[in-house]
Each structure stands twice: as structure tokens, then as C-alpha cells.
Amino acid sequence: MKVFNTLTRRKEELIPLKAGEYRIYACGPTVYNFIHIGNARPICVFDVLRRYLEYRGGKVIFVQNFTDIDDKIINRANQENSDYKTVSETYIAEYKKDAAGLNVRPATVHPKATENIDEIISIISTLIEKGYAYEVQGDVYFSPAKFNAYGKLSHQPLEDLMSGARINIGELKREPMDFALWKASKPGEPYWESPWGQGRPGWHIECSAMSRRYLGETIDIHCGGQDLIFPHHENEIAQSECCNGVPFARYWMHNGFITVDNEKMSKSKGNFFTVRDVAEQYGYAPIRLLMISCQYRSPINYSYDSLMQCKASLERLKTCRDSLAFSAKNAQAHTALDRLAALQTAFEEYRARFCVAMDDDLNTADAIGTLFDLVRYINKEVLTGEPEIEAIAAATAIFDELNDVLGLLYEEAPAADTADEDAKIDALVNERAEARKAKNWARADEIRKQLGDMGIVIEDTPQGAKWKRV
Ligand SMILES: [Zn+2]
């Protein structure tokens, strides 16, 4: 398989350090809110990368972190009169619902920044000892000027990268490009003890720490959105390579941007969509298909029309798969051996075309095209005429095989657990009202008790029964 390596700006043969084993680190979300449509892309794309490497017989160790301490999380906690832990745990749970909804497999490990403070402190200490970082009044900063290779991922010289850098009021760093590894805590903020006093880690350092702890000093693939190349990934490289003295990641894969109705997505423009909101209206599966419908480095435009096209495409897949299942139940005829051989040859060609596309820098657009060509072929060659046992079994096997790599057709989990539960409660409340109308008091009481066991109380009002959770 070849992948485009941002570091070398070339498509390169993907060769892991240890044969057959891929160590992958993906930067995960800062958990202070629901994820938005732009966040869905790397999640879906790199899930497909992982599935494909596994499909080709590789072992994948996939690490995706949660940034669970950050200014945004602290601000949110303050707004809600809550604490950082409650906010981060809430949105980790919501993230997991969305990821499962999008048919994204859980990472091998989902480490959290706050559970890796010792590793973070150890790396910062080494960076200070080696002269790459310095402490000022409880803050610790890294000096990119001390690392000759700084800028190698974004392919820009330090002077160009420096042009946008500033020292804000209250910041104690020496040079504008310096970035914080450790921040002294302000009064009332969460903190951890460190050799530099009470404080918390900066954002970039956590990925260097968690990547080393779970995957080792040199990893195979580091991935994320293009917006992370600078400064986040550039800083990760600087920290890790200055600390460990060996290359950090051998391949860097970055997905392209998402626009909404051909504009950059932003809250102020009002074109900001969370995955949850879209999923509740249209389901998760069309979002997943849209996210992988283009080669991952190309930009994607999110629009109502593009989502509807994906929904229609999924219907075609579902119709074919359902027809195969239905025919399998009814099939009694056997497939002639020469016909079965011809079908197998055709299926083998689809499989080969699929792999050629995926081997070419994860060209999911062509791979999906191949799956739809296969569906047309199955509709024409297998699902017409009298159903045959072996032909249907072979067609189902190749369909499931290719579909599973892309993860397109799947049983969708409900968008939210509570939506399901609410529907169930409404149904019981209605049934109780009917029972009362019919003067079936025993049944009405039974339902009240059942709801009580679920933590629901009912209040009878002139407008009907109201319920609430207690
Ligand atoms: Zn990161």
C-alpha cells in the first residue's frame, strides 16, 4: 500500500517498523462539546485505514487520545457551575455514542491527558535537562529555535512560521514562537503537582507523552486533520524528537477540510452542524458515507444535497443486501459449476479493483465506486431468475467482505439512548391513560409502578398525564 506522507510530500510504500504490525496515533477531540461535522472526517477516514490494514492481514494498534483538560473545558465547567471532570466525562460519553453511531470501532486505547501526567512531566523534565525548554515562574516553555528540524512537517522555515507568533500580555515566554509545555495553575483552576509547582500540561505535550507510552518512541503512522499540521504536529515532532533522540512518526497522514455549502464552517456564519443534530435528522450512516466519499486528502463539501445523495446510495446497497438475504431463504436450486466459477472470477476482479484503489493512498472514492459496480453486477447476474444457493452465498460473501472494510451498511445505533427511552415512556404513559379510560385500574397501577422502577413519576393534570425523571 502507498500513502501520501506529509513529511516527504510523496506517496510512499507503507512499511511498518515491525513487519505486519502498524502503530497508529490519531489526535482525538478536546471534550467540551458535541463533535461537529468537520471532526467526523478524520474519525471515519482513519477508521477505514485501520479496517483496511486489518483486512490485508495486518495487526493494528490504534491509539486515540481524549484531551480532557484545557481552557475550553475549564470555561465550560465555569459556565455550568460544574467541574472539568464532569464536563470531560460527559462529552467523552457523547463522543463514544457518535463514534459508535458512525460505525467507528473503538481505538485499542483511548488514553486521557489527565491520566498521563507522570509521563508528561518526565518528558518535560528531559527537555529542560537537554536545554530545549525552560521554566519561568511555574510555566515551562519549549524553544523551537533550538530544534534545527522545526518546520519540517509544514515545509516552512522557522522565520515564516514566526511571522504570526505573538507574546500575549501575561505570557512569560522569551520568544514569540515558544510554546507552553506546562502552565502554572491560576487560582481555582484544576492542577497537578510538578517539579515546577502546581499546574497543568499544555496541549501539544500530551500527544508526545501518550504516543510514547502506548506505542513507543517511534511510531508508524500519525494522523489527523490538515489543520493540525501547524503548530500542533510540528510541536509534537519537536518535543518527541528532542526528548527521545529518534524519529517520532515515520508517516504523517492528514485529511482535507470540510466546507459547508462551499463555505468554511463557523459558528458565526450559522453553518455549524454537530454530528448529533445531523444524525438525529438523517441517521449516522449517510454522514459516514459522505466523509469517505472522496479521497481523504481532497476537500469535501457538506450540503443537504450531498447528504441526500449518500442516503439514496445507501438505499441501493441495502436493497441489494436485503434481496440477497431474502433469496438465500428461498433458494433451492444449485448453481452449475461452470457458472459458479465464472461468478467467482468476476468477484475476484472486483476484489482486486477494490484493493488497487485502497492501495493507492486510501482512494475510498474508487473503492466505493467498485462496491457499487459489484452491486449492479449482483443485481443483474445473481438476483434475476431462479435463486441459486451457491451463487447467492458467493455474492453475499464478497458484498459483506468489501462493505465491511468501508463500514458503510450497518445496523445503526440510535442517535441517543434517551430518545429511545423517551419513546418507551411515552408509550407506557399512553397505555396507562387508555387503561384508566377503560377503568382498568389494576393495569394502570401496574404501569405506574413499572415507570416508578424506571425512575419516572407521573402527574395527572386536566390536560393529561405528565411525566418526569426523578
Ligand atoms: Zn495530537
Side-chain angles (χ1 to χ4, degrees), residues 25-28 65 203-204 206-208 222-223 228 232-233 236:
Y25 188 94
C27 294
N65 68 303
W203 173 36
H204 313 296
E206 69 178 77
C207 290
S208 287
H222 194 121
C223 45
L228 293 182
H232 185 54
H233 288 164
E236 282 186 32

Side-chain angles (χ1 to χ4, degrees), residues 238-300:
Q239 296 160 161
S240 292
E241 299 195 351
C242 291
C243 175
N244 304 324
V246 293
F248 177 36
R250 302 172 66 236
Y251 303 88
W252 286 86
M253 294 174 72
H254 291 103
N255 64 273
F257 291 111
I258 295 220
T259 53
V260 174
D261 296 324
N262 295 310
E263 285 197 64
K264 197 166 182 276
M265 181 166 65
S266 77
K267 277 189 177 147
S268 55
K269 279 184 190 150
N271 63 355
F272 186 91
F273 297 104
T274 66
V275 167
R276 184 66 55 86
D277 285 344
V278 176
E280 279 175 353
Q281 267 192 291
Y282 309 108
Y284 281 106
I287 305 175
R288 180 175 176 105
L289 174 54
L290 181 60
M291 293 302 144
I292 63 171
S293 60
C294 297
Q295 206 272 349
Y296 72 94
R297 287 189 291 124
S298 321
I300 286 189

